Amino acid sequence: MTATHLGHDAAVAYAEQGFYLARNLIDPATCQQLYDQGMRLMAQGPVPHRFMQPHRTDALYAAMLRDPRIVGPVEALAGEEVLGAQTMFYI
């Protein structure tokens, strides 16, 4: 099953619950990169424990906002093209 072809169960869960948790879309190494970069960005910010809109200033977060591993499943469930508008990093 590819990211954009989640299957009938995913569509049913999304329709019934309003969300679907797709596991293992992003590999652990990429998750670690996002965490490490988020920690660096957060250390520079004024508010402890969060960094708002990292995609506006950071290439890694901007790329993840458009990553087909994320956009594909979201568009498959929404049934239309989607646009990312917000990212956040909390710890």
Side-chain angles (χ1 to χ4, degrees):
M1 174 175 16
T2 65
T4 55
H5 298 92
L6 293 174
H8 180 71
D9 291 344
V12 169
Y14 180 69
E16 290 177 355
Q17 301 169 7
F19 71 94
Y20 176 73
L21 177 60
R23 298 188 181 275
N24 301 315
L25 291 180
I26 307 300
D27 59 276
T30 301
C31 292
Q32 187 66 52
Q33 286 179 317
L34 288 164
Y35 174 80
D36 292 345
Q37 183 65 355
M39 293 300 286
R40 283 189 291 275
L41 293 169
M42 194 172 57
Q44 300 168 11
V47 180
H49 309 297
R50 70 179 179 186
F51 186 78
M52 310 294 282
Q53 312 299 353
H55 72 281
R56 292 182 180 171
T57 58
D58 184 76
L60 178 60
Y61 278 87
M64 289 307 297
L65 186 63
R66 298 182 305 273
D67 191 300
R69 295 173 291 181
I70 297 170
V71 175
V74 172
E75 288 183 342
L77 292 172
E80 61 185 311
E81 182 181 7
V82 298
L83 301 173
Q86 181 172 312
T87 56
M88 295 182 197
F89 179 81
Y90 287 91
I91 184 107

